[in-house]
Amino acid sequence: DTGVSQDPRHKITKRGQNVTFRCDPISEHNRLYWYRQTLGQGPEFLTYFQNEAQLEKSRLLSDRFSAERPKGSFSTLEIQRTEQGDSAMYLCASSFERDQPQHFGDGTRLSIL
Amino acid sequence: AQKVTQAQTEISVVEKEDVTLDCVYETRDTTYYLFWYKQPPSGELVFLIRRNSFDEQNEISGRYSWNFQKSTSSFNFTITASQVVDSAVYFCALSAPAAGNKLTFGGGTRVLVKP
């Protein structure tokens, strides 16, 4: 049973560029969560899916952010027109059912130049 | 609204000492879950334990033990006989089914175990 996989591990881009991250959850996990973690802080919730349905978005998720999980398997998180404040670690987690523990991937570290 | 507070930002101990990490939470939900995660220097979050709000029994797993007290809204974590490999940031977190089970994390406690 492979763990949650995130790609890329690191992304460096210039301000104003668009970036897209991918998350592959643990097989058969129907819940998928995105979190953002800035240096020295705990992760903060961004959004989550049950299968392909996006059920909640945090107020942290501005209109420059969009997430999809088109077939209920992998998910993508896109940030348009990146800003300095978007620099963070973006974490993906999955769980088998609603009440089960979430298991995290290694994260994608985004650096905005 | 849910809130998790980890008052200790950093704890430094010498190997083999015990270390206790404090966690205090706030929630209006009657059904909720409490978690501890470990984040070593490599960055991945490692799940350690989950407790539900109806189970106040303390739990021990090897050198790790957890003390859940609803009366004080606390879920403390003790590492006995610490080892250098225990050096990491430890996060306490809370979730509730009524809120989609999204995790609300505390700010984390950095544990440094010196040889």
Side-chain angles (χ1 to χ4, degrees), chain B residues 85-104:
Chain B
V85 294
D86 296 326
S87 296
V89 180
Y90 291 86
F91 291 99
C92 182
L94 169 72
S95 74
N101 266 345
K102 56 183 180 288
L103 290 167
T104 299

Side-chain angles (χ1 to χ4, degrees), chain A residues 58-69:
Chain A
S58 161
R59 281 174 288 182
L60 291 175
L61 217 62
S62 76
D63 56 7
R64 295 185 299 106
F65 288 71
S66 63
E68 293 183 341
R69 193 182 183 197

Side-chain angles (χ1 to χ4, degrees), chain A residues 40-64:
Chain A
Q41 304 296 318
E44 295 175 294
F45 168 77
L46 293 178
T47 187
Y48 84 94
F49 294 83
Q50 178 162 316
N51 300 313
E52 65 275 10
Q54 188 174 19
L55 296 186
E56 185 175 347
K57 293 193 290 186
S58 161
R59 281 174 288 182
L60 291 175
L61 217 62
S62 76
D63 56 7
R64 295 185 299 106

Side-chain angles (χ1 to χ4, degrees), chain A residues 4-113:
Chain A
V4 178
S5 177
Q6 291 189 246
D7 184 69
R9 289 294 309 276
H10 304 276
K11 179 70 177 179
I12 301 173
T13 192
K14 293 182 178 179
R15 184 166 52 92
Q17 298 294 305
N18 299 343
V19 294
T20 300
F21 312 139
R22 176 178 170 127
C23 171
D24 287 88
I26 294 172
S27 179
E28 297 181 355
H29 278 196
N30 59 19
R31 286 226 163 181
L32 187 149
Y33 300 78
W34 285 98
Y35 295 84
R36 181 171 69 186
Q37 184 179 22
T38 53
L39 206 59
Q41 304 296 318
E44 295 175 294
F45 168 77
L46 293 178
T47 187
Y48 84 94
F49 294 83
Q50 178 162 316
N51 300 313
E52 65 275 10
Q54 188 174 19
L55 296 186
E56 185 175 347
K57 293 193 290 186
S58 161
R59 281 174 288 182
L60 291 175
L61 217 62
S62 76
D63 56 7
R64 295 185 299 106
F65 288 71
S66 63
E68 293 183 341
R69 193 182 183 197
K71 296 182 180 178
S73 56
F74 73 91
S75 174
T76 58
L77 178 67
E78 180 183 15
I79 309 174
Q80 296 182 328
R81 305 181 303 281
T82 52
E83 301 174 354
Q84 291 283 351
D86 297 332
S87 294
M89 176 77 87
Y90 290 83
L91 295 164
C92 176
S94 70
S95 67
F96 179 60
E97 288 292 346
R98 184 187 69 173
D99 296 342
Q100 295 303 307
Q102 294 174 32
H103 295 272
F104 284 79
D106 290 343
T108 293
R109 183 170 296 283
L110 174 64
S111 298
I112 307 298
L113 300 177

